Amino acid sequence: MTTLDIPALQHLLATGHAPRLIDVRTPAEFETAHIPGSYNVPLDLLREHRDELRDHFDEHVVLVCRSGQRAAQALTIAGLPNLRVLTGGIAAWQAAHAPVVTGTPRWELERQVRLVAGSIALLAVLASTLVEPAKWVAAFVGAGLAVAALTNTCAMGMMLAKLPYNRGPRTDLDRVVTALTGDRP
């Protein structure tokens, strides 16, 4: 995987050689905080419309997400040789006190997954004191988390991303293409 670290990206931005920044997080996550000048192309939109979007990625593109995991998935999905992933994602960018555009704060998907998975497991264990087979719900959640770690995907996260809370402003193919073909910020 080709990566770009934060100091290198800051140098490119400062010297006027800014790559196109494609943020693959959900629209709600993007609205919460993003790098100035970045474009929101959610991972599921990229997955569904890869061929239409690839034509609009110029020669220097850096993919951004929260930590780098979804951006790495996007790198594989897009299948272009000129893409790089921002090491550490927006979390590392913010930790470096680099500039961000902020909006309505929302919980990140990973935090939501921890809340939902933990709550389901806890409730299943508590319920199993009354109805013994309920323990298998906790086992199912645990197995799902193990599979998510091994495959570096998260079905629960993908489902949570579709909730209205995580949708944020509407992001569809036409809006993304219009933004990508317009003047660069």
Side-chain angles (χ1 to χ4, degrees):
M1 171 171 65
T2 305
T3 60
L4 184 69
D5 65 16
I6 290 168
L9 178 56
Q10 289 174 320
H11 174 73
L12 289 172
L13 293 171
T15 59
H17 296 94
R20 189 178 296 257
L21 300 172
I22 304 294
D23 193 316
V24 298
R25 296 175 300 149
T26 65
E29 288 175 296
F30 182 80
E31 182 186 37
T32 296
H34 61 271
I35 299 171
S38 60
Y39 299 88
N40 185 220
V41 182
L43 186 58
D44 58 343
L45 186 73
L46 177 61
R47 185 177 288 119
E48 186 176 336
H49 298 286
R50 175 183 68 172
D51 294 332
E52 296 98 327
L53 291 169
R54 285 188 347 188
D55 296 337
H56 301 288
F57 291 170
D58 53 19
E59 61 187 60
H60 299 290
V61 174
V62 175
L63 299 168
V64 180
C65 68
R66 182 192 168 289
S67 65
Q69 297 300 320
R70 282 180 277 175
Q73 289 176 12
L75 184 69
T76 304
I77 291 167
L80 293 174
N82 58 339
L83 302 178
R84 294 178 283 178
V85 172
L86 179 62
T87 304
I90 190 77
W93 182 263
Q94 289 176 300
H97 303 291
V100 293
V101 176
T102 58
T104 305
R106 290 184 173 89
W107 280 16
E108 296 160 347
L109 274 178
E110 291 177 26
R111 185 176 182 189
Q112 293 176 50
V113 167
R114 290 191 304 264
L115 173 69
V116 171
S119 298
I120 292 170
L122 176 62
L123 291 174
V125 169
L126 293 174
S128 72
T129 61
L130 301 173
V131 181
E132 194 268 335
K135 69 182 179 192
W136 295 109
V137 174
F140 178 75
V141 170
L145 291 172
V147 168
L150 292 171
T151 62
N152 202 24
T153 62
C154 184
M156 186 181 291
M158 288 186 274
M159 289 187 297
L160 290 172
K162 296 186 184 316
L163 293 175
Y165 174 82
N166 289 317
R167 285 195 214 139
R170 188 165 182 245
T171 302
D172 59 18
L173 180 63
D174 292 335
R175 286 179 190 234
V176 169
V177 169
T178 299
L180 291 172
T181 56
D183 292 335
R184 289 185 70 167

